[in-house]
Amino acid sequence: MSELSELAGVSKSYLSYLERNIQTNPSLQFLNKIAVTLETDLEFLLNGVSEDDMPDVQVLDEEWKRLVQRAILEGMSKEDFVHFKEYMEFQKWQGAKKTSSKKEDEEA
């Protein structure tokens, strides 16, 4: 743990908190540092399965990878991403609700 902490440039105590489930929501930036240090990808770090081991799962294309890397570099956390995704789902729901309401008005 000490070696990983030093090589990745992260706090040993934070690694310990994660290992003991005291801290449960590391940022994408933190996870990326660990993945790079361990010479693996985020998928393997999070799920124990590498992208190479998942042939039937769609792999991120280069544009998606650049977008995710940019978000990580700009400090976006997983929690931020989840909130953004929920917001987008809400916007789609609002749009569908408005469309449905318009159709009902036109039919009346």
Side-chain angles (χ1 to χ4, degrees):
M1 190 180 304
S2 297
E3 187 177 354
L4 176 59
S5 168
E6 188 176 319
L7 291 171
V10 298
S11 162
K12 182 179 173 182
S13 61
Y14 189 70
L15 279 173
S16 176
Y17 289 157
L18 288 170
E19 185 178 51
R20 293 181 289 148
N21 286 327
I22 294 171
Q23 175 61 257
T24 58
N25 192 20
S27 70
L28 289 173
Q29 194 170 20
F30 175 88
L31 292 173
N32 193 53
K33 286 181 180 182
I34 299 300
V36 168
T37 301
L38 295 174
E39 297 178 359
T40 189
D41 54 45
L42 285 174
E43 188 64 38
F44 183 79
L45 193 62
L46 296 172
N47 299 316
V49 179
S50 178
E51 287 179 356
D52 298 336
D53 299 333
M54 302 184 310
D56 33 0
V57 175
Q58 183 178 2
V59 178
L60 293 177
D61 63 28
E62 289 305 312
E63 183 180 10
W64 273 108
K65 286 180 183 179
R66 282 191 302 275
L67 287 169
V68 169
Q69 288 171 343
R70 182 175 171 196
I72 291 168
L73 290 173
E74 291 176 0
M76 182 178 231
S77 68
K78 288 188 293 183
E79 187 175 276
D80 294 336
F81 179 79
V82 169
H83 288 302
F84 179 73
K85 185 176 175 295
E86 289 170 351
Y87 172 76
M88 294 304 296
E89 289 169 356
F90 174 75
Q91 291 296 316
K92 286 180 186 176
W93 176 76
Q94 286 286 79
K97 191 171 139 181
K98 288 178 184 175
T99 302
S100 175
S101 179
K102 265 188 184 178
K103 281 185 179 181
E104 288 174 9
D105 289 345
E106 290 173 358
E107 290 174 358

